[in-house]
Amino acid sequence: MHTIEQMLAYNREWAARIRDEEPDFFERTAAGQNPELLWIGCSDSRVGPDKMIGLPMGSIFVHRNIANVFATNDLNCLAVLEYAIDELKIPNIVVCGHYGCGGVAAALSHSGVQPIDLWIDQVRFVYQRHQRELDALEPEARARRLAELNVEAQVHNLCRNTIVREAWKRGQPVNIIGVIYDIHDGLLKPLGIEFRSLADWERIHVGRQG
Ligand SMILES: [Zn+2]
């Protein structure tokens, strides 16, 4: 276990190393951000995006919460999305779930009234919508499949959102894609869920629930 003092010492070394390698790095990044990606992922300590997709600091605008939910009634989610699209004009949004997600496991195992239970209810609703398919699976496969279906549901929540829809209507590029991260091999797998326009989404979505 590292102490806070060790972390601060590391930070001083890191900042010095960056200044050696790229003397104008902090001056340049302090001038403003121009990220190319909004990442919506799980808070799980093993699934931070910075290392796994190799983009430099300043490239990813991040929103993480338990079980990578885009909750349409959550002010935090909405503020991040609004800033990402209306101010930063970020063209790509990734919703990343992961296998081995504790939030997904909790959605399958119990319910309650504590804050975490109420948050996880949003994943439990996804389970309920797909209960027949999921209940036919063995427990591990069920959790993996629910993690995938949860990503799909969150992508649809984004596509339903006024901020995204208005951007699409005015022709602003917003590409939304769902992926899943496998903590066992470090690979990100696209789930075949990707929308680039309102017409794109409505073509798939008409007559079904996400
Ligand atoms: Zn998780």
Side-chain angles (χ1 to χ4, degrees), residues 11-179:
N11 169 257
R12 287 189 293 274
E13 288 168 21
W14 170 80
R17 192 168 65 244
I18 296 288
R19 273 195 300 272
D20 283 347
E21 291 169 2
E22 206 177 331
D24 69 338
F25 177 85
F26 293 113
E27 194 179 14
R28 185 166 48 77
T29 51
Q33 60 170 332
N34 188 24
E36 56 192 280
L37 177 67
L38 167 60
W39 178 275
I40 298 174
C42 183
S43 295
D44 191 298
S45 61
R46 300 164 294 179
V47 299
D50 307 64
K51 289 197 166 67
M52 67 172 82
I53 55 175
L55 294 182
M57 191 183 280
S59 304
I60 315 174
F61 198 60
V62 177
H63 179 76
R64 293 170 68 184
N65 59 48
I66 293 173
N68 43 270
V69 173
F70 183 81
T72 51
N73 59 354
D74 179 74
L75 202 52
N76 190 354
C77 286
L78 294 170
V80 166
L81 183 69
E82 182 183 358
Y83 195 71
I85 288 188
D86 291 349
E87 298 297 324
L88 297 171
K89 315 280 191 223
I90 295 176
N92 291 305
I93 302 177
V94 167
V95 178
C96 179
H98 68 105
Y99 298 136
C101 182
V104 168
L108 287 167
S109 60
H110 70 274
S111 58
V113 294
Q114 297 303 314
I116 191 163
D117 301 313
L118 300 176
W119 183 258
I120 291 300
D121 271 347
Q122 300 171 102
V123 184
R124 197 170 291 111
F125 297 148
V126 178
Y127 165 64
Q128 288 166 353
R129 284 207 297 276
H130 299 275
Q131 192 164 359
R132 191 181 301 175
E133 175 193 345
L134 291 164
D135 284 355
L137 301 171
E138 295 299 319
E140 192 179 333
R142 186 181 305 145
R144 288 168 69 92
R145 182 66 183 135
L146 180 55
E148 295 174 354
L149 290 168
N150 181 47
V151 168
E152 183 177 349
Q154 307 315 325
V155 168
H156 285 301
N157 281 347
L158 279 160
C159 295
R160 267 188 209 101
N161 188 275
T162 311
I163 298 161
V164 169
R165 299 169 77 87
E166 289 301 316
W168 276 339
K169 282 181 190 168
R170 62 179 178 261
Q172 183 178 330
V174 180
N175 179 30
I176 305 174
I177 181 170
V179 302

